[in-house]
Amino acid sequence: MPLLVAPALPAGSLGAQQQPDLPVRPGLALRPWRLDDAPAVRAAFDCARIQRWHVRRLDGDDEARAWTAQWAQRWRDETSASWAVVDADDRPVGQVGLRDVLLEEASAQVSYWVVPAARGQGNAAAALGALTRWSFTRAGLHRLALHHSTANAASCRVATRVGFPPEGLLRGSVRHADGWHDMHLHARLRTDGPI
């Protein structure tokens, strides 16, 4: 069935280029995941809060390697992208990414987490801000959305700090270990202005 409007972004808008490294601020940057990041990813997913809000764990080194390896193909397929948030020594301290990329709508959902040692320093907001700026100015996206449990106050603070206003409540939409959670929906448009 043909679309009645042209896609907002053509195929190849992401996948035809190399996934970029993105500066965040001194001592913090975004770069594509590498296979040698697997131990850091496994350690991150050992964190109870990351497991709680992302509803995932990694049970071994093979799973951690698979997690890091998947992103190169997802970038080429233009369905998702993920960056390691790295410190001045190039060690991963978090993740920020685009999920459910729809080039025809120029939209995506964002995700983020940081390890316990990197929390409380504005790292998640700084990384999300850098990804948001790139998404709107370089990638050509029009809308970025994010969902988080209404019980996750820290994620809500990150979203609002980066200029993602709340748009609504998705009642009982995600199942966590303790049952169904209502989710806040936040979004930002390219036309909302600079971060």
PDB file of all heavy atoms in Angstrom, residues 111-148:
ATOM      1  N   SER A 111      16.537   6.506  24.941  1.00  0.00           N
ATOM      2  CA  SER A 111      16.750   5.740  26.165  1.00  0.00           C
ATOM      3  C   SER A 111      18.079   6.175  26.761  1.00  0.00           C
ATOM      4  O   SER A 111      18.944   6.687  26.047  1.00  0.00           O
ATOM      5  CB  SER A 111      16.776   4.233  25.872  1.00  0.00           C
ATOM      6  OG  SER A 111      17.917   3.895  25.115  1.00  0.00           O
ATOM      7  N   TYR A 112      18.224   5.961  28.062  1.00  0.00           N
ATOM      8  CA  TYR A 112      19.481   6.326  28.718  1.00  0.00           C
ATOM      9  C   TYR A 112      19.577   5.624  30.057  1.00  0.00           C
ATOM     10  O   TYR A 112      18.568   5.259  30.658  1.00  0.00           O
ATOM     11  CB  TYR A 112      19.603   7.845  28.922  1.00  0.00           C
ATOM     12  CG  TYR A 112      18.361   8.503  29.479  1.00  0.00           C
ATOM     13  CD1 TYR A 112      18.123   8.570  30.842  1.00  0.00           C
ATOM     14  CD2 TYR A 112      17.406   9.049  28.624  1.00  0.00           C
ATOM     15  CE1 TYR A 112      16.990   9.162  31.348  1.00  0.00           C
ATOM     16  CE2 TYR A 112      16.261   9.643  29.119  1.00  0.00           C
ATOM     17  CZ  TYR A 112      16.054   9.694  30.480  1.00  0.00           C
ATOM     18  OH  TYR A 112      14.908  10.270  30.973  1.00  0.00           O
ATOM     19  N   TRP A 113      20.803   5.388  30.470  1.00  0.00           N
ATOM     20  CA  TRP A 113      21.115   4.944  31.827  1.00  0.00           C
ATOM     21  C   TRP A 113      22.562   5.321  32.114  1.00  0.00           C
ATOM     22  O   TRP A 113      23.348   5.516  31.192  1.00  0.00           O
ATOM     23  CB  TRP A 113      20.875   3.456  32.062  1.00  0.00           C
ATOM     24  CG  TRP A 113      21.452   2.473  31.097  1.00  0.00           C
ATOM     25  CD1 TRP A 113      20.791   1.810  30.102  1.00  0.00           C
ATOM     26  CD2 TRP A 113      22.813   1.989  31.031  1.00  0.00           C
ATOM     27  NE1 TRP A 113      21.638   0.970  29.432  1.00  0.00           N
ATOM     28  CE2 TRP A 113      22.892   1.053  29.978  1.00  0.00           C
ATOM     29  CE3 TRP A 113      23.972   2.254  31.767  1.00  0.00           C
ATOM     30  CZ2 TRP A 113      24.063   0.382  29.634  1.00  0.00           C
ATOM     31  CZ3 TRP A 113      25.149   1.593  31.419  1.00  0.00           C
ATOM     32  CH2 TRP A 113      25.181   0.668  30.370  1.00  0.00           C
ATOM     33  N   VAL A 114      22.874   5.441  33.388  1.00  0.00           N
ATOM     34  CA  VAL A 114      24.263   5.645  33.817  1.00  0.00           C
ATOM     35  C   VAL A 114      24.534   4.718  34.996  1.00  0.00           C
ATOM     36  O   VAL A 114      23.623   4.353  35.739  1.00  0.00           O
ATOM     37  CB  VAL A 114      24.595   7.112  34.189  1.00  0.00           C
ATOM     38  CG1 VAL A 114      24.546   8.009  32.968  1.00  0.00           C
ATOM     39  CG2 VAL A 114      23.688   7.639  35.268  1.00  0.00           C
ATOM     40  N   VAL A 115      25.794   4.337  35.128  1.00  0.00           N
ATOM     41  CA  VAL A 115      26.194   3.450  36.223  1.00  0.00           C
ATOM     42  C   VAL A 115      26.160   4.229  37.541  1.00  0.00           C
ATOM     43  O   VAL A 115      26.212   5.462  37.549  1.00  0.00           O
ATOM     44  CB  VAL A 115      27.587   2.839  35.960  1.00  0.00           C
ATOM     45  CG1 VAL A 115      27.571   1.995  34.684  1.00  0.00           C
ATOM     46  CG2 VAL A 115      28.668   3.904  35.903  1.00  0.00           C
ATOM     47  N   PRO A 116      26.076   3.528  38.671  1.00  0.00           N
ATOM     48  CA  PRO A 116      25.965   4.216  39.960  1.00  0.00           C
ATOM     49  C   PRO A 116      27.046   5.269  40.201  1.00  0.00           C
ATOM     50  O   PRO A 116      26.750   6.368  40.693  1.00  0.00           O
ATOM     51  CB  PRO A 116      26.037   3.078  40.975  1.00  0.00           C
ATOM     52  CG  PRO A 116      25.461   1.904  40.255  1.00  0.00           C
ATOM     53  CD  PRO A 116      25.926   2.059  38.830  1.00  0.00           C
ATOM     54  N   ALA A 117      28.292   4.988  39.859  1.00  0.00           N
ATOM     55  CA  ALA A 117      29.374   5.944  40.127  1.00  0.00           C
ATOM     56  C   ALA A 117      29.243   7.220  39.319  1.00  0.00           C
ATOM     57  O   ALA A 117      29.835   8.250  39.664  1.00  0.00           O
ATOM     58  CB  ALA A 117      30.731   5.288  39.842  1.00  0.00           C
ATOM     59  N   ALA A 118      28.457   7.204  38.246  1.00  0.00           N
ATOM     60  CA  ALA A 118      28.313   8.379  37.373  1.00  0.00           C
ATOM     61  C   ALA A 118      27.010   9.137  37.634  1.00  0.00           C
ATOM     62  O   ALA A 118      26.734  10.134  36.959  1.00  0.00           O
ATOM     63  CB  ALA A 118      28.383   7.952  35.908  1.00  0.00           C
ATOM     64  N   ARG A 119      26.229   8.704  38.601  1.00  0.00           N
ATOM     65  CA  ARG A 119      24.947   9.360  38.883  1.00  0.00           C
ATOM     66  C   ARG A 119      25.139  10.597  39.747  1.00  0.00           C
ATOM     67  O   ARG A 119      26.121  10.751  40.447  1.00  0.00           O
ATOM     68  CB  ARG A 119      24.006   8.380  39.577  1.00  0.00           C
ATOM     69  CG  ARG A 119      23.607   7.250  38.667  1.00  0.00           C
ATOM     70  CD  ARG A 119      22.640   6.295  39.311  1.00  0.00           C
ATOM     71  NE  ARG A 119      22.463   5.147  38.402  1.00  0.00           N
ATOM     72  CZ  ARG A 119      22.286   3.912  38.794  1.00  0.00           C
ATOM     73  NH1 ARG A 119      22.242   3.621  40.082  1.00  0.00           N
ATOM     74  NH2 ARG A 119      22.159   2.950  37.907  1.00  0.00           N
ATOM     75  N   GLY A 120      24.163  11.487  39.661  1.00  0.00           N
ATOM     76  CA  GLY A 120      24.161  12.684  40.493  1.00  0.00           C
ATOM     77  C   GLY A 120      25.110  13.763  40.020  1.00  0.00           C
ATOM     78  O   GLY A 120      25.340  14.741  40.729  1.00  0.00           O
ATOM     79  N   GLN A 121      25.652  13.627  38.814  1.00  0.00           N
ATOM     80  CA  GLN A 121      26.609  14.604  38.270  1.00  0.00           C
ATOM     81  C   GLN A 121      26.100  15.254  36.989  1.00  0.00           C
ATOM     82  O   GLN A 121      26.844  15.941  36.305  1.00  0.00           O
ATOM     83  CB  GLN A 121      27.942  13.900  38.001  1.00  0.00           C
ATOM     84  CG  GLN A 121      28.527  13.209  39.217  1.00  0.00           C
ATOM     85  CD  GLN A 121      29.590  12.192  38.826  1.00  0.00           C
ATOM     86  OE1 GLN A 121      30.426  12.451  37.978  1.00  0.00           O
ATOM     87  NE2 GLN A 121      29.553  11.028  39.447  1.00  0.00           N
ATOM     88  N   GLY A 122      24.849  14.998  36.649  1.00  0.00           N
ATOM     89  CA  GLY A 122      24.286  15.552  35.423  1.00  0.00           C
ATOM     90  C   GLY A 122      24.718  14.831  34.158  1.00  0.00           C
ATOM     91  O   GLY A 122      24.500  15.334  33.057  1.00  0.00           O
ATOM     92  N   ASN A 123      25.307  13.644  34.302  1.00  0.00           N
ATOM     93  CA  ASN A 123      25.815  12.933  33.127  1.00  0.00           C
ATOM     94  C   ASN A 123      24.706  12.440  32.203  1.00  0.00           C
ATOM     95  O   ASN A 123      24.840  12.517  30.980  1.00  0.00           O
ATOM     96  CB  ASN A 123      26.699  11.763  33.554  1.00  0.00           C
ATOM     97  CG  ASN A 123      28.000  12.236  34.165  1.00  0.00           C
ATOM     98  OD1 ASN A 123      28.551  13.253  33.779  1.00  0.00           O
ATOM     99  ND2 ASN A 123      28.493  11.498  35.151  1.00  0.00           N
ATOM    100  N   ALA A 124      23.622  11.915  32.757  1.00  0.00           N
ATOM    101  CA  ALA A 124      22.529  11.437  31.908  1.00  0.00           C
ATOM    102  C   ALA A 124      21.924  12.591  31.121  1.00  0.00           C
ATOM    103  O   ALA A 124      21.689  12.481  29.913  1.00  0.00           O
ATOM    104  CB  ALA A 124      21.469  10.730  32.745  1.00  0.00           C
ATOM    105  N   ALA A 125      21.679  13.713  31.783  1.00  0.00           N
ATOM    106  CA  ALA A 125      21.107  14.874  31.089  1.00  0.00           C
ATOM    107  C   ALA A 125      22.070  15.426  30.041  1.00  0.00           C
ATOM    108  O   ALA A 125      21.658  15.780  28.934  1.00  0.00           O
ATOM    109  CB  ALA A 125      20.740  15.957  32.101  1.00  0.00           C
ATOM    110  N   ALA A 126      23.350  15.488  30.360  1.00  0.00           N
ATOM    111  CA  ALA A 126      24.325  15.996  29.394  1.00  0.00           C
ATOM    112  C   ALA A 126      24.404  15.089  28.171  1.00  0.00           C
ATOM    113  O   ALA A 126      24.452  15.561  27.025  1.00  0.00           O
ATOM    114  CB  ALA A 126      25.690  16.135  30.056  1.00  0.00           C
ATOM    115  N   ALA A 127      24.407  13.773  28.389  1.00  0.00           N
ATOM    116  CA  ALA A 127      24.465  12.823  27.272  1.00  0.00           C
ATOM    117  C   ALA A 127      23.188  12.903  26.438  1.00  0.00           C
ATOM    118  O   ALA A 127      23.252  12.923  25.197  1.00  0.00           O
ATOM    119  CB  ALA A 127      24.680  11.414  27.797  1.00  0.00           C
ATOM    120  N   LEU A 128      22.026  12.950  27.095  1.00  0.00           N
ATOM    121  CA  LEU A 128      20.766  13.066  26.366  1.00  0.00           C
ATOM    122  C   LEU A 128      20.722  14.377  25.590  1.00  0.00           C
ATOM    123  O   LEU A 128      20.250  14.407  24.447  1.00  0.00           O
ATOM    124  CB  LEU A 128      19.581  12.960  27.321  1.00  0.00           C
ATOM    125  CG  LEU A 128      18.202  13.119  26.684  1.00  0.00           C
ATOM    126  CD1 LEU A 128      17.954  12.062  25.610  1.00  0.00           C
ATOM    127  CD2 LEU A 128      17.121  13.065  27.761  1.00  0.00           C
ATOM    128  N   GLY A 129      21.228  15.450  26.165  1.00  0.00           N
ATOM    129  CA  GLY A 129      21.258  16.723  25.458  1.00  0.00           C
ATOM    130  C   GLY A 129      22.114  16.662  24.198  1.00  0.00           C
ATOM    131  O   GLY A 129      21.727  17.154  23.140  1.00  0.00           O
ATOM    132  N   ALA A 130      23.282  16.039  24.296  1.00  0.00           N
ATOM    133  CA  ALA A 130      24.158  15.905  23.133  1.00  0.00           C
ATOM    134  C   ALA A 130      23.495  15.071  22.045  1.00  0.00           C
ATOM    135  O   ALA A 130      23.544  15.425  20.855  1.00  0.00           O
ATOM    136  CB  ALA A 130      25.494  15.291  23.541  1.00  0.00           C
ATOM    137  N   LEU A 131      22.872  13.963  22.420  1.00  0.00           N
ATOM    138  CA  LEU A 131      22.192  13.124  21.437  1.00  0.00           C
ATOM    139  C   LEU A 131      21.018  13.868  20.811  1.00  0.00           C
ATOM    140  O   LEU A 131      20.793  13.790  19.600  1.00  0.00           O
ATOM    141  CB  LEU A 131      21.707  11.826  22.082  1.00  0.00           C
ATOM    142  CG  LEU A 131      20.921  10.895  21.148  1.00  0.00           C
ATOM    143  CD1 LEU A 131      21.774  10.457  19.958  1.00  0.00           C
ATOM    144  CD2 LEU A 131      20.389   9.707  21.913  1.00  0.00           C
ATOM    145  N   THR A 132      20.281  14.612  21.607  1.00  0.00           N
ATOM    146  CA  THR A 132      19.129  15.361  21.099  1.00  0.00           C
ATOM    147  C   THR A 132      19.576  16.410  20.090  1.00  0.00           C
ATOM    148  O   THR A 132      18.985  16.540  19.008  1.00  0.00           O
ATOM    149  CB  THR A 132      18.363  15.997  22.267  1.00  0.00           C
ATOM    150  OG1 THR A 132      17.904  14.956  23.145  1.00  0.00           O
ATOM    151  CG2 THR A 132      17.189  16.818  21.791  1.00  0.00           C
ATOM    152  N   ARG A 133      20.627  17.152  20.416  1.00  0.00           N
ATOM    153  CA  ARG A 133      21.132  18.174  19.477  1.00  0.00           C
ATOM    154  C   ARG A 133      21.549  17.533  18.162  1.00  0.00           C
ATOM    155  O   ARG A 133      21.201  18.021  17.082  1.00  0.00           O
ATOM    156  CB  ARG A 133      22.291  18.951  20.106  1.00  0.00           C
ATOM    157  CG  ARG A 133      21.847  19.982  21.139  1.00  0.00           C
ATOM    158  CD  ARG A 133      23.006  20.851  21.616  1.00  0.00           C
ATOM    159  NE  ARG A 133      23.996  20.107  22.375  1.00  0.00           N
ATOM    160  CZ  ARG A 133      23.878  19.796  23.663  1.00  0.00           C
ATOM    161  NH1 ARG A 133      22.808  20.170  24.341  1.00  0.00           N
ATOM    162  NH2 ARG A 133      24.834  19.129  24.279  1.00  0.00           N
ATOM    163  N   TRP A 134      22.305  16.431  18.235  1.00  0.00           N
ATOM    164  CA  TRP A 134      22.734  15.751  17.013  1.00  0.00           C
ATOM    165  C   TRP A 134      21.529  15.232  16.226  1.00  0.00           C
ATOM    166  O   TRP A 134      21.475  15.356  14.995  1.00  0.00           O
ATOM    167  CB  TRP A 134      23.679  14.591  17.357  1.00  0.00           C
ATOM    168  CG  TRP A 134      24.059  13.804  16.157  1.00  0.00           C
ATOM    169  CD1 TRP A 134      25.055  14.075  15.270  1.00  0.00           C
ATOM    170  CD2 TRP A 134      23.417  12.607  15.693  1.00  0.00           C
ATOM    171  NE1 TRP A 134      25.083  13.121  14.287  1.00  0.00           N
ATOM    172  CE2 TRP A 134      24.089  12.214  14.519  1.00  0.00           C
ATOM    173  CE3 TRP A 134      22.359  11.839  16.158  1.00  0.00           C
ATOM    174  CZ2 TRP A 134      23.720  11.078  13.799  1.00  0.00           C
ATOM    175  CZ3 TRP A 134      21.990  10.710  15.444  1.00  0.00           C
ATOM    176  CH2 TRP A 134      22.671  10.341  14.280  1.00  0.00           C
ATOM    177  N   SER A 135      20.570  14.656  16.919  1.00  0.00           N
ATOM    178  CA  SER A 135      19.394  14.087  16.256  1.00  0.00           C
ATOM    179  C   SER A 135      18.628  15.134  15.456  1.00  0.00           C
ATOM    180  O   SER A 135      18.130  14.851  14.365  1.00  0.00           O
ATOM    181  CB  SER A 135      18.457  13.448  17.289  1.00  0.00           C
ATOM    182  OG  SER A 135      19.077  12.351  17.920  1.00  0.00           O
ATOM    183  N   PHE A 136      18.539  16.337  15.997  1.00  0.00           N
ATOM    184  CA  PHE A 136      17.788  17.390  15.317  1.00  0.00           C
ATOM    185  C   PHE A 136      18.626  18.137  14.282  1.00  0.00           C
ATOM    186  O   PHE A 136      18.121  18.503  13.230  1.00  0.00           O
ATOM    187  CB  PHE A 136      17.219  18.379  16.339  1.00  0.00           C
ATOM    188  CG  PHE A 136      16.095  17.805  17.181  1.00  0.00           C
ATOM    189  CD1 PHE A 136      15.900  18.259  18.467  1.00  0.00           C
ATOM    190  CD2 PHE A 136      15.244  16.829  16.691  1.00  0.00           C
ATOM    191  CE1 PHE A 136      14.861  17.765  19.253  1.00  0.00           C
ATOM    192  CE2 PHE A 136      14.210  16.313  17.462  1.00  0.00           C
ATOM    193  CZ  PHE A 136      14.015  16.781  18.753  1.00  0.00           C
ATOM    194  N   THR A 137      19.899  18.378  14.571  1.00  0.00           N
ATOM    195  CA  THR A 137      20.693  19.207  13.657  1.00  0.00           C
ATOM    196  C   THR A 137      21.411  18.407  12.585  1.00  0.00           C
ATOM    197  O   THR A 137      21.574  18.890  11.466  1.00  0.00           O
ATOM    198  CB  THR A 137      21.731  20.046  14.423  1.00  0.00           C
ATOM    199  OG1 THR A 137      22.645  19.165  15.088  1.00  0.00           O
ATOM    200  CG2 THR A 137      21.069  20.966  15.429  1.00  0.00           C
ATOM    201  N   ARG A 138      21.850  17.199  12.886  1.00  0.00           N
ATOM    202  CA  ARG A 138      22.619  16.397  11.924  1.00  0.00           C
ATOM    203  C   ARG A 138      21.804  15.263  11.315  1.00  0.00           C
ATOM    204  O   ARG A 138      21.895  15.014  10.120  1.00  0.00           O
ATOM    205  CB  ARG A 138      23.877  15.817  12.577  1.00  0.00           C
ATOM    206  CG  ARG A 138      24.816  16.850  13.133  1.00  0.00           C
ATOM    207  CD  ARG A 138      25.511  17.561  12.040  1.00  0.00           C
ATOM    208  NE  ARG A 138      26.521  18.454  12.607  1.00  0.00           N
ATOM    209  CZ  ARG A 138      27.355  19.125  11.887  1.00  0.00           C
ATOM    210  NH1 ARG A 138      27.349  19.019  10.578  1.00  0.00           N
ATOM    211  NH2 ARG A 138      28.218  19.918  12.460  1.00  0.00           N
ATOM    212  N   ALA A 139      21.055  14.562  12.148  1.00  0.00           N
ATOM    213  CA  ALA A 139      20.300  13.410  11.652  1.00  0.00           C
ATOM    214  C   ALA A 139      18.992  13.816  10.977  1.00  0.00           C
ATOM    215  O   ALA A 139      18.432  13.046  10.213  1.00  0.00           O
ATOM    216  CB  ALA A 139      20.024  12.429  12.781  1.00  0.00           C
ATOM    217  N   GLY A 140      18.498  15.009  11.279  1.00  0.00           N
ATOM    218  CA  GLY A 140      17.289  15.489  10.631  1.00  0.00           C
ATOM    219  C   GLY A 140      15.992  14.993  11.226  1.00  0.00           C
ATOM    220  O   GLY A 140      14.931  15.121  10.606  1.00  0.00           O
ATOM    221  N   LEU A 141      16.049  14.437  12.440  1.00  0.00           N
ATOM    222  CA  LEU A 141      14.818  13.965  13.068  1.00  0.00           C
ATOM    223  C   LEU A 141      13.940  15.145  13.461  1.00  0.00           C
ATOM    224  O   LEU A 141      14.417  16.255  13.714  1.00  0.00           O
ATOM    225  CB  LEU A 141      15.128  13.094  14.286  1.00  0.00           C
ATOM    226  CG  LEU A 141      15.855  11.784  13.978  1.00  0.00           C
ATOM    227  CD1 LEU A 141      16.137  11.019  15.259  1.00  0.00           C
ATOM    228  CD2 LEU A 141      15.065  10.921  13.006  1.00  0.00           C
ATOM    229  N   HIS A 142      12.650  14.886  13.506  1.00  0.00           N
ATOM    230  CA  HIS A 142      11.663  15.911  13.845  1.00  0.00           C
ATOM    231  C   HIS A 142      11.161  15.777  15.283  1.00  0.00           C
ATOM    232  O   HIS A 142      10.891  16.783  15.942  1.00  0.00           O
ATOM    233  CB  HIS A 142      10.469  15.805  12.883  1.00  0.00           C
ATOM    234  CG  HIS A 142       9.282  16.600  13.307  1.00  0.00           C
ATOM    235  ND1 HIS A 142       9.252  17.972  13.259  1.00  0.00           N
ATOM    236  CD2 HIS A 142       8.078  16.199  13.806  1.00  0.00           C
ATOM    237  CE1 HIS A 142       8.073  18.403  13.703  1.00  0.00           C
ATOM    238  NE2 HIS A 142       7.354  17.354  14.051  1.00  0.00           N
ATOM    239  N   ARG A 143      11.028  14.523  15.763  1.00  0.00           N
ATOM    240  CA  ARG A 143      10.433  14.291  17.086  1.00  0.00           C
ATOM    241  C   ARG A 143      11.191  13.191  17.805  1.00  0.00           C
ATOM    242  O   ARG A 143      11.490  12.144  17.240  1.00  0.00           O
ATOM    243  CB  ARG A 143       8.965  13.875  16.931  1.00  0.00           C
ATOM    244  CG  ARG A 143       8.259  13.542  18.245  1.00  0.00           C
ATOM    245  CD  ARG A 143       6.813  13.093  17.956  1.00  0.00           C
ATOM    246  NE  ARG A 143       6.190  12.500  19.123  1.00  0.00           N
ATOM    247  CZ  ARG A 143       5.578  13.177  20.088  1.00  0.00           C
ATOM    248  NH1 ARG A 143       5.486  14.490  20.021  1.00  0.00           N
ATOM    249  NH2 ARG A 143       5.033  12.548  21.110  1.00  0.00           N
ATOM    250  N   LEU A 144      11.499  13.449  19.064  1.00  0.00           N
ATOM    251  CA  LEU A 144      12.071  12.453  19.967  1.00  0.00           C
ATOM    252  C   LEU A 144      11.129  12.300  21.147  1.00  0.00           C
ATOM    253  O   LEU A 144      10.679  13.295  21.719  1.00  0.00           O
ATOM    254  CB  LEU A 144      13.452  12.876  20.467  1.00  0.00           C
ATOM    255  CG  LEU A 144      14.558  12.977  19.430  1.00  0.00           C
ATOM    256  CD1 LEU A 144      15.835  13.510  20.081  1.00  0.00           C
ATOM    257  CD2 LEU A 144      14.811  11.632  18.763  1.00  0.00           C
ATOM    258  N   ALA A 145      10.841  11.073  21.500  1.00  0.00           N
ATOM    259  CA  ALA A 145       9.956  10.798  22.627  1.00  0.00           C
ATOM    260  C   ALA A 145      10.676   9.908  23.619  1.00  0.00           C
ATOM    261  O   ALA A 145      11.651   9.237  23.273  1.00  0.00           O
ATOM    262  CB  ALA A 145       8.670  10.117  22.149  1.00  0.00           C
ATOM    263  N   LEU A 146      10.213   9.895  24.840  1.00  0.00           N
ATOM    264  CA  LEU A 146      10.726   8.956  25.833  1.00  0.00           C
ATOM    265  C   LEU A 146       9.619   8.586  26.785  1.00  0.00           C
ATOM    266  O   LEU A 146       8.696   9.362  27.029  1.00  0.00           O
ATOM    267  CB  LEU A 146      11.953   9.500  26.563  1.00  0.00           C
ATOM    268  CG  LEU A 146      11.819  10.672  27.525  1.00  0.00           C
ATOM    269  CD1 LEU A 146      11.526  10.185  28.938  1.00  0.00           C
ATOM    270  CD2 LEU A 146      13.088  11.465  27.532  1.00  0.00           C
ATOM    271  N   HIS A 147       9.707   7.365  27.270  1.00  0.00           N
ATOM    272  CA  HIS A 147       8.769   6.839  28.255  1.00  0.00           C
ATOM    273  C   HIS A 147       9.563   6.420  29.479  1.00  0.00           C
ATOM    274  O   HIS A 147      10.651   5.880  29.352  1.00  0.00           O
ATOM    275  CB  HIS A 147       8.053   5.586  27.733  1.00  0.00           C
ATOM    276  CG  HIS A 147       7.302   5.786  26.474  1.00  0.00           C
ATOM    277  ND1 HIS A 147       7.842   5.531  25.245  1.00  0.00           N
ATOM    278  CD2 HIS A 147       6.047   6.214  26.247  1.00  0.00           C
ATOM    279  CE1 HIS A 147       6.954   5.780  24.311  1.00  0.00           C
ATOM    280  NE2 HIS A 147       5.853   6.198  24.891  1.00  0.00           N
ATOM    281  N   HIS A 148       9.010   6.656  30.647  1.00  0.00           N
ATOM    282  CA  HIS A 148       9.604   6.129  31.873  1.00  0.00           C
ATOM    283  C   HIS A 148       8.489   5.864  32.869  1.00  0.00           C
ATOM    284  O   HIS A 148       7.424   6.491  32.820  1.00  0.00           O
ATOM    285  CB  HIS A 148      10.649   7.086  32.466  1.00  0.00           C
ATOM    286  CG  HIS A 148      10.070   8.366  32.955  1.00  0.00           C
ATOM    287  ND1 HIS A 148       9.432   8.482  34.169  1.00  0.00           N
ATOM    288  CD2 HIS A 148      10.019   9.601  32.390  1.00  0.00           C
ATOM    289  CE1 HIS A 148       9.001   9.723  34.329  1.00  0.00           C
ATOM    290  NE2 HIS A 148       9.338  10.427  33.265  1.00  0.00           N
TER     291      HIS A 148
END
